[in-house]
Amino acid sequence: MAIEDIEKESAVGPTPVKHYESQEDKIHEFKESVGYEIDVDSATGDEGIKLASDGRTRLIPQPTDDSNDPLNWSQRKKNFILFIVAFAALLPDYGSATGAVTLIPQAEQWHMSQDEVNHSQVGNVFMLGAGGIFVVAFSAYFGRLPVMFYFLAVALGTAAWCAGATNFASFETARILNGFFSTVSQVNGLIFIQDIFFFHERARKINIWASFFVLSPYLGPLLAAFQIATKPWPTPFWVYTAETALALVLTVLFVEETYYDRRIKESDQPDRGNRITSLLGIAQWKSRSRRNTFFQACRRPLRAICKPTVLISCLYYFLTFAWVVGINTTLSIFLQPVYGFGPKQIGYFYFTPIIAVIIGETIGHWLHDILAKQYIRSHKGHFEPEVRLRAIIVALPFMLVGLILLGQSLQNEWHWAVTAVSWALYVFSTMITTVAISSYNLDCYPEASGEVSAWVNFSRTLGGFVVSYFQVTWANSEGTKASFGIQAAICFAAFSLVVLLMFKGKAMRVWSGPLHFATA
């Protein structure tokens, strides 16, 4: 027996299964060699299958008859929890990017260069990714809700620390710690979506969740720019503190523990506790023996990134999203000398990416489903995760044109409207790409929703962490035309990784096998 199977049995005990079901089917109903069976007109198996309201779409996973099963919660309750998690996911990059504007008055106050002050932001960005790895390990062991509660509570304290810092050293320390703890919902959002929504709903829900955190690095500077035009630089961070407090209050009042092991009979399900014990993790702690051991929970992220499809897709995301963070954290430095923009003008300029994200969310709401349904219709009710990557083909031209034109516009000092449209094209493409990559990894390894989300998030922030160090210096030495042109070339070359996954992704998944986690 493999080590992974021993781990699973030690955590949940042996589970009797039907002759046509495997342990993997009991968790998520996905088979590496077959994919998903979606359309019951073509699928074979149990005639007692539960269907969606259209009467033909198979519900994946199949819900139990237990009212405590999150899949059975009302749509209103599910969507409200999604909104709270998405709002909390907005805050990390919102707070991080706020520093991209406040660095101007901070540099004056602390007698430092703007590039030096920007280093606090670099540390914050790195911790946004690193913190996510801890979030998923803790969530697998302690439960979804208590990890979200405790991380948001510390994020609130460190946000207030940022606002109250009186010197750069104190501010930098607060920013680094805030990045680590505030990132919780940028990672566990995919866990919540996996726990409470069916397969056919997830792409749209991921699109909503992703739109919040893709939007956030632009919303922060927009609001901060208007505030520092008339207020001291701590004001935007006090606003950020209040927003974090709101997320914490909403979590305390309305978010529930969503983990549910559907392999266990309803009568044997562990006690979910009351509101307080569930929030504090007391109820989850009492039933911890039914889930992962702490060692197993810590191993989960490492085992997930060892899967070739996860590693390759994250590498692509790293190579394409890095420039998003780099541009966003340094653009105010470019806009000042080229267009003579002050804080208020920079604030107006940040409406550009916000509009682009909204357009991307709107189009993505239909695009990802259209591509999936077309494949299902033409493949007798079956679906393969690699279909999700087709959306990147749509996004790639906008990505390349946006980067090239942005570099040309800044160096040639074209009208600011050209710069705005160029930036919007690139941001639009990243919105489509983010949903495609997240959906692909979730469909490949649904039992590792948190782990794949953590690595996608880490690849996004790691790229921004690296680029933020040299973006300004690179552009100043070679010009934005050359630097952004090279960035576009890197994105184009990286697309070969997507092509590789589209043609060989399934073979890689079959070869590497399932994760065999103890729990989903």
Side-chain angles (χ1 to χ4, degrees):
M1 184 180 291
I3 293 175
E4 292 86 352
D5 295 323
I6 295 173
E7 286 185 357
K8 177 180 292 185
E9 188 164 312
S10 67
V12 299
T15 304
V17 297
K18 298 178 184 179
H19 70 279
Y20 56 83
E21 288 180 315
S22 70
Q23 281 282 53
E24 295 304 314
D25 299 332
K26 296 288 283 183
I27 293 182
H28 51 69
E29 304 183 39
F30 170 64
K31 311 176 189 69
E32 279 73 13
S33 59
V34 177
Y36 292 91
E37 292 187 24
I38 307 296
D39 193 329
V40 296
D41 283 0
S42 303
T44 59
D46 193 343
E47 294 181 356
I49 262 176
K50 295 179 181 179
L51 306 176
S53 57
D54 63 3
R56 63 180 292 128
T57 301
R58 175 177 178 158
L59 294 179
I60 300 177
Q62 287 282 285
T64 66
D65 295 323
D66 187 358
S67 60
N68 287 324
D69 184 347
L71 292 174
N72 293 326
W73 292 348
S74 69
Q75 204 66 27
R76 177 180 297 179
K77 180 177 180 178
K78 291 181 181 182
N79 287 330
F80 191 47
I81 290 176
L82 174 63
F83 168 76
I84 295 171
V85 173
F87 175 66
L90 176 146
L91 297 174
D93 279 343
Y94 173 98
S96 178
T98 293
V101 176
T102 61
L103 63 82
I104 299 172
Q106 286 173 327
E108 295 177 1
Q109 178 178 328
W110 293 328
H111 307 291
M112 301 169 65
S113 71
Q114 294 179 11
D115 201 26
E116 288 174 328
V117 176
N118 192 47
H119 288 173
S120 69
Q121 187 151 319
V122 173
N124 175 273
V125 167
F126 177 80
M127 296 307 286
L128 291 178
I133 308 299
F134 290 86
V135 166
V136 295
F138 291 162
S139 295
Y141 185 67
F142 296 107
R144 280 65 155 141
L145 179 58
V147 171
M148 184 172 177
F149 168 69
Y150 288 118
F151 268 64
L152 281 177
V154 180
L156 174 60
T158 53
W161 183 1
C162 289
T166 56
N167 57 67
F168 178 72
S170 175
F171 179 75
E172 185 175 35
T173 303
R175 291 273 281 165
I176 290 172
L177 290 174
N178 183 257
F180 182 87
F181 288 100
S182 66
T183 193
V184 58
S185 288
Q186 285 193 336
V187 174
N188 71 6
L190 208 57
I191 302 179
F192 280 97
I193 290 172
Q194 163 72 10
D195 285 347
I196 66 179
F197 292 106
F198 296 104
F199 169 83
H200 68 280
E201 301 173 307
R202 289 175 190 157
R204 294 193 301 273
K205 304 307 179 181
I206 291 172
N207 198 47
I208 294 170
W209 167 67
S211 67
F212 275 73
F213 69 75
V214 173
L215 174 74
S216 61
Y218 312 116
L219 186 61
L222 183 150
L223 298 178
F226 288 121
Q227 292 170 57
I228 66 171
T230 57
K231 303 288 184 181
W233 70 261
T235 302
F237 284 102
W238 284 120
V239 172
Y240 169 58
T241 301
E243 292 163 342
T244 305
L246 176 59
L248 179 59
V249 170
L250 290 173
T251 298
V252 169
L253 295 178
F254 301 109
V255 178
E256 295 188 20
E257 176 61 56
T258 59
Y259 174 74
Y260 185 90
D261 192 341
R262 58 197 68 260
R263 294 171 299 172
I264 302 175
K265 293 188 301 183
E266 180 180 345
S267 58
D268 295 332
Q269 289 290 335
D271 181 21
R272 295 176 65 86
N274 57 38
R275 184 71 197 160
I276 300 300
T277 58
S278 179
L279 183 70
L280 298 179
I282 297 172
Q284 294 89 330
W285 177 258
K286 290 178 179 178
S287 61
R288 65 190 183 281
S289 61
R290 290 177 173 265
R291 298 188 299 275
N292 304 269
T293 66
F294 188 71
F295 177 68
Q296 290 170 357
C298 292
R299 286 188 61 200
R300 287 171 63 114
L302 297 177
R303 286 166 57 185
I305 195 61
C306 288
K307 295 299 181 183
T309 55
V310 177
L311 181 61
I312 293 171
S313 62
C314 285
L315 177 59
Y316 174 76
Y317 200 49
F318 167 83
L319 293 172
T320 54
F321 205 96
W323 319 116
V324 173
V325 183
I327 292 170
N328 193 52
T329 57
T330 58
L331 192 63
S332 61
I333 300 175
F334 292 124
L335 294 176
Q336 275 188 309
V338 175
Y339 301 113
F341 282 180
K344 187 173 292 187
Q345 288 80 9
I346 292 174
Y348 282 119
F349 199 78
Y350 270 92
F351 275 110
T352 297
I354 290 175
I355 294 172
V357 170
I358 293 172
I359 295 174
E361 199 281 333
T362 304
I363 292 178
H365 184 82
W366 307 107
L367 174 65
H368 301 285
D369 273 358
I370 289 172
L371 294 174
K373 290 176 180 178
Q374 185 276 329
Y375 184 90
I376 292 167
R377 282 196 302 269
S378 61
H379 288 78
K380 300 180 179 179
H382 290 271
F383 178 83
E384 294 291 349
E386 283 69 31
V387 178
R388 300 293 189 192
L389 300 175
R390 295 182 178 183
I392 298 178
I393 300 174
V394 178
L396 183 65
F398 296 96
M399 181 178 293
L400 302 180
V401 172
L403 280 172
I404 292 171
L405 284 182
L406 184 58
Q408 294 279 345
S409 184
L410 288 173
Q411 184 161 332
N412 296 328
E413 299 188 6
W414 291 345
H415 193 277
W416 61 262
V418 179
T419 303
V421 171
S422 304
W423 193 19
L425 291 174
Y426 178 52
V427 171
F428 168 81
S429 72
T430 60
M431 180 66 212
I432 300 296
T433 300
T434 296
V435 177
I437 292 292
S438 298
S439 299
Y440 171 64
N441 280 294
L442 179 60
D443 290 350
C444 286
Y445 299 103
E447 75 273 41
S449 55
E451 288 72 23
V452 297
S453 179
W455 286 116
V456 170
N457 182 61
F458 183 73
S459 60
R460 174 178 67 90
T461 55
L462 179 63
F465 166 75
V466 173
V467 171
S468 295
Y469 267 111
F470 61 80
Q471 176 86 330
V472 176
T473 305
W474 185 17
N476 288 336
S477 62
E478 296 191 21
T480 56
K481 188 185 298 186
S483 63
F484 283 91
I486 293 172
Q487 292 170 23
I490 292 173
C491 291
F492 181 73
F495 182 68
S496 61
L497 298 173
V498 175
V499 175
L500 174 64
L501 289 175
M502 291 176 69
F503 286 95
K504 296 295 182 180
K506 180 176 180 177
M508 292 179 190
R509 289 187 282 105
V510 173
W511 171 78
S512 62
L515 284 163
H516 290 298
F517 282 166
T519 61

